[in-house]
Amino acid sequence: MTDLPAPGERGAPDAALRRTEQLESLLGDPDDPANPLGTAAVLAADERGELLADGELALAGFGLGAEFVPAALGGRLERADRFALLMRTLFRRDCSLGIGYGVTSFIAGLPIWADGSDEQRRRAAGLLGGGGRIVAAYTELEHGSDFARHGLSARPAPGGGYLLDGGKQLVNNIGRAEAAVLFARTDDRPGSRGHSHLLVDLDAAPADRIDRSARYPTSGVRGCLLGGAALESCPVPAGALLGREGGAMETVLKVFQVTRCVLPGMVVGVGDSQLRTVLGFARRRRLYGAPVSALPPARATLAGAFADLLVCDALSMVAARSLHLEPQEANVRSAAVKYLVPKLLQDSSYRLGVLLGARSFLREGPYAGFQKMARDLPVVALAHASAAVCLSNIVPQLPRLAERAWRPALECDPAAYRAPDGLFRLHDPLPALDLGRLELTSRGTDGLTAWLPVFAAELAAEAAERPELTELAALAHDVVGVLGDLARRACELPPRDRTPVAGRRAFLLAERYVLLLAAAACLGVHRAADPGTDPFLADPLWVTAALRRLTERLGTGRGPAAPVADALYDELAARHEDARTFDLFRTRLARRETPDTGVDS
């Protein structure tokens, strides 16, 4: 089903990719009205505000819970990038099912794998592997993303253990989960050591001390069972503590790097489906005697959304691979991914909605899936960390990155920089994910952005012999110029603008840095691609279009590029006809042949 070489060849599909293929086949053709897991069934469940029951049964039969458990504990979780790709398959169909059945348990498992005792890990692995649910209970509406102020308390109980008082809100599946990881205050003194993680057996909690009946209806992901828990002197044993008392904040800051890399990679599937819907409309709808897709503005919108999707995939995949290969730098990259990917996808959703017109609001008919995804996307994008939180994590690190990474890279011999083996080669194997190697800050290291001068120098030399690289070389040169300007501005930031409460200027610099990281990821994936096994990634077409999109946002755009847009549209249309995904992997979809021969009036 994938456009990849046969097993045994370089870059051959691995077991994780095979499972992705199997999940796609299990979900079946989304356009088949008789498919109980198809779009019609998904939309009907969404209208009822329910999670698709047949979908949950299918995922349980597939054994999706084992994907959240590390292989060392008997599960199938080995690679962050492959896990994101697997879940992307689900997000292309239904965000509610992706979150409601899977993502919450994945998030909850991370602090257990990081800090839990052997017994706690085995218990959690058995529960998830057997189809059970563990929820991550962090959110408190009163405090939002300010974890340091969260108020659910865990006080020492007279006979040992803890008594829980307070509440958590907007927790997915809290009403039907068997266990929860609770982020609770165990020390009232100020500082970062005031909170702990507790792994609580919800079924064993006294019914008169915990109320899990609250439900919070939302405009997006309507089927997700977002609820809350109110606890009053609820006893839990001392063995519920994960790791050391007071260590939860540090664990959160580390393991959320994993989720911030992986979740956006999943959500790329939403952008894929929205683009597919609007492309189908544009090819059917006729204006002025021709399909809408033949009109230059419409074609530019579609090609631009495709390029943005490729940017999102390159950045999220490189960041996910960094968790294995460069975990000491994942702090900044994860924040960059969580900021940029949802932003690009939401911007594309808006522009595609304009192209779709009034049909983008319809809740029935052939394009009804678009409005559901447009409602789901902001909820998914906000989950776990807002854009402001992500940028505030980057801002304090800008001056040190400029001094220790960017300036040396701009001043030194490009040949001195070498990326880790496999950082950009998307099908190369990876070492096991080691959560213990994640750091709270990057400490001024930035091997990814340091590659920009290398790429620019190589492209400038090659363009003399390969004219098709001329524009890409010019764009890479522009990006390096932006890096130099960013380094200067970052070093000039006053003390206040080197903190999370910095002013607008520092946040704008952080945004520019994120765009440079995306450019480096795109160039790296292109440069590492093997023309023999993946001619599309090796073709300068897509990366030229990607850098054009990024430099437009950086303010250094080079004007219209109709030939690039037309060529990119041709690739998009070919994939649509061949039922392949619009991401970097060109995976085949479980879709009947549906040529766009009809006319939509």
Side-chain angles (χ1 to χ4, degrees):
M1 289 178 61
T2 53
D3 193 36
L4 298 169
E9 299 179 14
R10 176 179 172 80
D14 51 34
L17 280 183
R18 293 298 189 199
R19 293 198 300 277
T20 299
E21 296 173 353
Q22 292 164 5
L23 181 58
E24 176 69 22
S25 296
L26 175 68
L27 295 174
D29 179 9
D31 296 328
D32 182 358
N35 180 5
L37 309 180
T39 299
V42 167
L43 291 172
D46 185 70
E47 289 293 323
R48 298 191 301 269
E50 299 174 358
L51 209 57
L52 185 62
D54 286 337
E56 289 204 284
L57 288 173
L59 295 177
F62 180 77
L64 189 65
E67 302 290 345
F68 316 142
V69 179
L73 293 169
R76 299 198 291 257
L77 178 60
E78 295 182 289
R79 293 175 52 168
D81 59 339
R82 290 293 189 254
F83 176 66
L85 201 59
L86 174 79
M87 294 299 292
R88 184 181 300 176
T89 302
L90 195 51
F91 274 78
R92 275 199 300 269
R93 305 304 186 93
D94 185 8
C95 282
S96 295
L97 199 56
I99 296 172
Y101 191 89
V103 169
T104 301
S105 290
F106 169 70
I107 295 171
L110 290 171
I112 303 174
W113 317 139
D115 288 344
S117 66
D118 290 343
E119 174 58 26
Q120 287 171 327
R121 291 171 182 165
R122 282 195 296 269
R123 246 187 319 134
L127 178 58
L128 294 176
R133 299 178 179 87
I134 305 176
V135 298
Y138 289 100
T139 310
E140 297 179 12
L141 287 174
E142 185 177 354
H143 304 297
S145 297
D146 189 357
F147 280 17
R149 297 180 62 198
H150 281 197
L152 175 69
S153 66
R155 309 297 181 196
Y162 299 91
L163 294 176
L164 301 178
D165 283 284
K168 296 288 182 181
Q169 298 83 39
L170 291 178
V171 180
N172 186 44
N173 283 332
I174 186 70
R176 58 177 185 159
E178 292 86 355
V181 174
L182 293 175
F183 184 80
R185 178 172 289 281
T186 49
D187 192 332
D188 288 329
R189 290 175 295 180
S192 60
R193 301 294 182 184
H195 290 85
S196 303
H197 278 131
L198 300 172
L199 177 57
V200 177
D201 185 340
L202 295 175
D203 291 339
D208 61 339
R209 303 295 181 90
I210 181 171
D211 180 2
R212 294 190 277 162
S213 62
R215 176 81 191 272
Y216 298 92
T218 56
S219 60
V221 292
R222 290 174 178 168
C224 285
L225 301 174
L226 294 174
L231 303 103
E232 183 176 356
S233 297
C234 182
V236 296
L241 180 68
L242 286 174
R244 68 180 187 278
E245 193 170 287
M249 186 65 75
E250 181 176 337
T251 298
V252 164
L253 293 175
K254 288 184 177 181
V255 301
F256 277 16
Q257 295 174 38
V258 178
T259 61
R260 290 173 184 175
C261 284
V262 172
L263 297 187
M266 301 177 189
V267 183
V268 167
V270 180
D272 187 302
S273 290
Q274 284 195 305
L275 178 53
R276 191 173 308 278
T277 299
V278 178
L279 176 61
F281 162 77
R283 287 162 63 89
R284 292 185 179 94
R285 179 78 166 100
R286 298 183 69 83
L287 287 177
Y288 314 115
V292 167
S293 59
L295 302 176
R299 179 165 292 210
T301 296
L302 294 166
F306 184 25
D308 284 349
L309 196 71
L310 296 172
V311 170
C312 291
D313 202 11
L315 180 59
S316 62
M317 286 293 120
V318 169
R321 296 180 70 81
S322 295
L323 292 168
H324 299 261
L325 297 170
E326 292 183 323
Q328 72 279 5
E329 298 184 24
N331 173 272
V332 167
R333 291 181 198 174
S334 63
V337 174
K338 187 62 174 65
Y339 170 79
L340 187 61
V341 171
K343 178 177 176 58
L344 293 183
L345 293 178
Q346 289 184 86
D347 288 352
S348 287
S349 178
Y350 172 77
R351 289 191 296 270
L352 291 170
V354 171
L355 184 56
L356 191 57
R359 293 167 179 80
S360 67
F361 300 102
L362 295 180
R363 290 160 61 174
E364 57 184 22
Y367 310 115
F370 185 91
Q371 58 81 28
K372 179 186 182 305
M373 292 181 183
R375 286 186 288 104
D376 290 347
L377 189 55
V379 180
V380 177
L382 181 62
H384 226 36
S386 67
V389 168
C390 292
L391 290 184
S392 69
N393 185 63
I394 296 173
V395 163
Q397 303 189 60
L398 290 175
R400 183 175 290 185
L401 287 167
E403 294 166 357
R404 298 188 179 182
W406 307 338
R407 281 185 166 174
L410 290 164
E411 296 168 359
C412 295
D413 179 5
Y417 291 89
R418 287 290 178 267
D421 289 343
L423 181 62
F424 303 121
R425 295 195 292 270
L426 304 183
H427 299 295
D428 274 15
L430 291 170
L433 180 62
D434 184 353
L435 299 176
R437 295 181 61 201
L438 297 170
E439 299 284 350
L440 297 180
T441 72
S442 68
R443 301 181 183 179
T445 59
D446 184 4
L448 181 54
T449 308
W451 266 87
L452 284 172
V454 180
F455 294 140
E458 291 177 348
L459 286 166
E462 293 173 18
E465 302 293 332
R466 297 177 59 192
E468 70 272 19
L469 294 177
T470 300
E471 184 179 5
L472 181 57
L475 289 166
H477 177 269
D478 291 348
V479 168
V480 172
V482 174
L483 178 61
D485 179 70
L486 178 64
R488 177 182 61 80
R489 292 173 181 267
C491 289
E492 293 173 353
L493 285 173
R496 176 179 171 79
D497 282 345
R498 300 181 180 213
T499 71
V501 293
R504 181 171 180 268
R505 171 174 53 177
F507 276 77
L508 289 174
L509 292 182
E511 184 177 35
R512 292 177 74 77
Y513 171 51
V514 168
L515 294 169
L516 292 178
L517 280 173
C522 291
L523 283 166
V525 169
H526 164 68
R527 303 291 292 169
D530 184 345
T533 58
D534 202 327
F536 175 75
L537 289 187
D539 191 327
L541 166 68
W542 77 271
V543 71
T544 301
L547 259 66
R548 272 191 164 275
R549 302 290 289 181
L550 292 168
T551 53
E552 286 173 8
R553 290 178 178 270
L554 288 165
T556 62
R558 290 178 167 262
V564 173
D566 288 342
L568 202 62
Y569 174 82
D570 291 343
E571 169 71 19
L572 182 67
R575 292 194 190 191
H576 183 63
E577 293 173 357
D578 199 28
R580 292 186 181 275
T581 60
F582 297 150
D583 55 20
L584 297 174
F585 295 88
R586 300 186 72 247
T587 307
R588 189 175 295 281
L589 298 167
R591 188 179 295 269
R592 297 174 300 174
E593 186 176 355
T594 52
D596 297 314
T597 55
V599 176
D600 187 335
S601 59

